[in-house]
Amino acid sequence: MKIGVMVNNLEPDRLRAFDVARQLGFDVVHTSALPEAWLVGPKRQEYIDAARASGVHIAAMFVGFDGQSYADIPTIRRTVGLAIRALRPHRLEVSRQYSALAAELGVPALATHLGFFPEEAEDYRDLVLTVRQFAEHCAACQQMLLLETGQESAARLLQFIHDVEHPALGVNFDPANFLLYGVAEPVAALEQLLPYVRGVHCKDGVRANQAGVLGTETPVGQGEVDFPKLLQRLVRSGYSGPLVIERESGDRKREDIIAARAYLQALPRVEGIPNH
Ligand code: MG
């Protein structure tokens, strides 16, 4: 398994980030969401040119939207993802624009945080239909659509995947999110989601000590994620995609990412994991 990086954690300047990744020895990346204007405006071509010039492989492009904020759980509930009903038609259109951009760059997967599933049945059904439409669009472009884990339990996410029922649908497994949102133990969640895992984030964190509050992200290896066990399970399952380091907070993201790579490389060798 190759070790990749969430490229915009490494370098926030989107036009420089691909090259920074390359210089630091990463040749596989995931990309963070773009301002919506970049998907249709003049920046689009600059972004494509920067990605191509670097030669790095984008394994998945994250789809996100203007106005999203992860400040706290109520704000996430109000602003994040296709879950927001009033914005859903617009955001589906934006999602299709991501898909076109990904196709142009030869990216095999889109990924997204759906946000919190609606409680109301009709709203939930509408989200299921919307995600199915997006998955159909991705499939027509030879792309997978990966759902980022962690806002809900593995069982709840599995139910949603079964409700959408589309072969292009998979999971980007982020172990830390299960802890940050306080919904599951990551290795147990992996066990349930394994058949759908097509991407992995190596991110770490600790649970909050009260309900309804986000936990705290930590550098990889310093939180509650059992990475040795997690990677062992992934290898045994035949997962062969990249392990993508994600570091969303802190003021030493680049240093933390380099240290995370060293940590992952130094883990006891598991049969099937080349140590690079
Ligand atoms: Mg993640």
Side-chain angles (χ1 to χ4, degrees):
M1 284 187 273
K2 282 201 166 213
I3 295 177
V5 66
M6 190 57 139
V7 73
N8 303 111
N9 293 167
L10 201 57
E11 166 57 55
D13 180 331
R14 293 177 173 86
L15 299 180
R16 288 192 57 228
F18 295 109
D19 197 46
V20 170
R22 170 61 89 193
Q23 284 175 27
L24 292 172
F26 291 100
D27 53 13
V28 179
V29 302
H30 282 179
T31 55
S32 302
L34 296 166
E36 291 177 12
W38 283 42
L39 295 163
V40 288
K43 285 283 187 191
R44 186 179 191 275
Q45 193 57 48
E46 287 183 55
Y47 187 77
I48 290 173
D49 292 345
R52 283 191 180 142
S54 72
V56 301
H57 172 62
I58 304 173
M61 185 176 272
F62 268 75
V63 171
F65 309 101
D66 290 0
Q68 295 195 142
S69 167
Y70 288 86
D72 51 42
I73 287 181
T75 309
I76 294 169
R77 203 175 278 286
R78 214 177 52 245
T79 66
V80 170
L82 286 166
I84 310 300
R85 182 151 206 189
L87 296 172
R88 201 173 292 151
H90 168 72
R91 288 184 168 182
L92 177 59
E93 191 47 41
V94 171
S95 302
R96 290 185 175 124
Q97 291 165 358
Y98 271 100
S99 184
L101 176 63
E104 210 164 325
L105 282 168
V107 179
L110 295 176
T112 196
H113 295 230
L114 287 177
F116 286 101
F117 292 144
E119 317 246 323
E120 203 264 308
E122 203 277 325
D123 192 3
Y124 178 83
R125 273 196 299 277
D126 187 72
L127 178 64
V128 166
L129 289 177
T130 301
V131 172
R132 192 179 297 147
Q133 282 178 281
F134 185 22
E136 278 165 7
H137 188 87
C138 290
C141 297
Q142 280 79 50
Q143 295 154 352
M144 294 287 294
L145 172 57
L146 310 183
L147 305 181
E148 177 81 349
T149 62
Q151 285 145 133
E152 56 290 304
S153 68
R156 190 80 189 76
L157 182 59
L158 270 181
Q159 181 61 52
F160 184 79
I161 291 169
H162 293 152
D163 291 341
V164 175
E165 208 186 2
H166 195 285
L169 211 55
V171 157
N172 186 67
F173 187 83
D174 185 323
N177 284 346
F178 290 102
L179 299 166
L180 301 183
Y181 289 92
V183 291
E185 195 288 311
V187 176
L190 177 66
E191 206 61 56
Q192 290 177 269
L193 292 166
L194 261 178
Y196 294 98
V197 173
R198 300 287 181 276
V200 172
H201 279 172
C202 288
K203 188 172 84 186
D204 210 345
V206 293
R207 291 175 175 85
N209 49 19
Q210 53 176 308
V213 175
L214 279 175
T216 307
E217 190 199 352
T218 68
V220 167
Q222 297 179 29
E224 295 172 7
V225 175
D226 185 343
F227 280 102
K229 203 184 266 184
L230 197 80
L231 298 194
Q232 214 160 35
R233 194 63 196 90
L234 278 169
V235 169
R236 292 217 184 97
S237 77
Y239 175 78
S240 59
L243 303 172
V244 174
I245 297 166
E246 185 170 41
R247 178 65 172 136
E248 300 187 283
S249 58
D251 50 10
R252 294 167 45 87
K253 290 182 194 168
R254 194 178 291 189
E255 291 84 348
D256 290 345
I257 288 167
I258 302 295
R261 177 169 61 185
Y263 168 84
L264 293 169
Q265 286 170 332
L267 286 179
R269 273 173 179 263
V270 182
E271 200 183 335
I273 296 191
N275 238 10
H276 64 84

